[in-house]
Amino acid sequence: DTAVSQTPKYLVTQMGNDKSIKCEQNLGHDTMYWYKQDSKKFLKIMFSYNNKELIINETVPNRFSPKSPDKAHLNLHINSLELGDSAVYFCASSQDGAGGALNIQYFGAGTRLSVL
Amino acid sequence: SQKIEQNSEALNIQEGKTATLTCNYTNYSPAYLQWYRQDPGRGPVFLLLIRENEKEKRKERLKVTFDTTLKQSLFHITASQPADSATYLCALHEGGFKTIFGAGTRLFVKA
């Protein structure tokens, strides 16, 4: 039973399209995240949510809009896709956002987005 | 802001040897530091957490050290095996709900 699952695994689309990635965790965690991993493998935080509330928005273009319908789900919608959006997007969760063991991150398998 | 530096060059070692990976950070010493493993096409998986008041932490063949004077953590894999080949990421909690990750070091263990 997958702890953090995200769909789809692969997404190939044209520039200018709108797409969504879905994420669900069954760990009972309060905090969820979206990360972007670029071609240099650098994992960078985009958003974090705690109990459905947006806590961190790391200077991400407003074409990216996260939505958390409940604390087990965090979706990412991207409008007007650009070539530079091509990357692997990871969803993660943690017990909460505080320090120590509570902040250990559990990641999904990633969504590889290719914008043509 | 805090930056993490990990050796961007891959580390190649022979099976059975000890692999040592380095994580350096630039600013304040974090309260704790985490290490993750990432295999190709998969998400990172948590391995170990070490607190600032702990000099060393062990788990099976893994050992992590934390030197706040040097602003450095070392990650060791003893008796390395080809199955240990992966990218290893260092991560710091920056406070609030933000964790920052290093770019990772790729480890290749040859049989």
Side-chain angles (χ1 to χ4, degrees), chain A residues 11-113:
Chain A
L11 198 45
V12 181
T13 188
Q14 299 286 332
M15 251 182 9
N17 283 352
D18 303 339
K19 289 293 176 188
S20 291
I21 309 172
K22 294 188 174 183
C23 179
E24 176 181 0
Q25 55 97 0
N26 63 7
L27 296 166
H29 288 168
D30 286 342
T31 308
M32 294 186 73
Y33 312 81
W34 279 112
Y35 287 89
K36 179 179 180 181
Q37 190 169 47
D38 59 25
S39 55
K40 292 184 179 176
K41 305 300 182 188
F42 193 56
L43 195 64
K44 192 172 177 188
I45 190 164
M46 299 172 68
F47 302 102
S48 68
Y49 269 74
N50 190 59
N51 277 316
K52 305 192 301 176
E53 208 178 304
L54 178 65
I55 302 296
I56 287 180
N57 178 341
E58 277 291 296
T59 329
V60 177
N62 56 17
R63 296 182 296 104
F64 290 78
S65 49
K67 271 210 177 99
S68 183
D70 55 62
K71 72 174 195 177
H73 295 84
L74 179 62
N75 303 322
L76 183 66
H77 188 75
I78 316 169
N79 287 327
S80 304
L81 278 155
E82 299 177 359
L83 293 176
D85 297 331
S86 296
V88 182
Y89 292 84
F90 286 101
C91 176
S93 72
S94 66
Q95 199 165 332
D96 69 28
L102 298 176
N103 184 249
I104 292 169
Q105 317 255 310
Y106 294 79
F107 285 83
T111 296
R112 183 173 294 275
L113 172 65

Side-chain angles (χ1 to χ4, degrees), chain B residues 5-13 17-24 33-38 47 61-66 72-78 80 84-90 103-109:
Chain B
E5 293 160 357
Q6 292 186 257
N7 199 341
S8 57
E9 286 184 23
L11 179 63
N12 289 283
I13 64 165
K17 300 290 186 189
T18 296
T20 298
L21 286 69
T22 305
C23 171
N24 294 299
L33 190 146
Q34 302 173 18
W35 282 89
Y36 290 78
R37 169 182 172 143
Q38 186 173 21
L47 295 174
R61 293 183 297 109
L62 309 180
K63 183 178 91 171
V64 172
T65 62
F66 194 0
Q72 184 180 80
S73 175
L74 298 178
F75 178 81
H76 306 272
I77 306 175
T78 57
S80 59
D84 295 325
S85 299
T87 298
Y88 292 87
L89 308 171
C90 168
T105 298
R106 196 133 185 228
L107 173 67
F108 292 100
V109 181

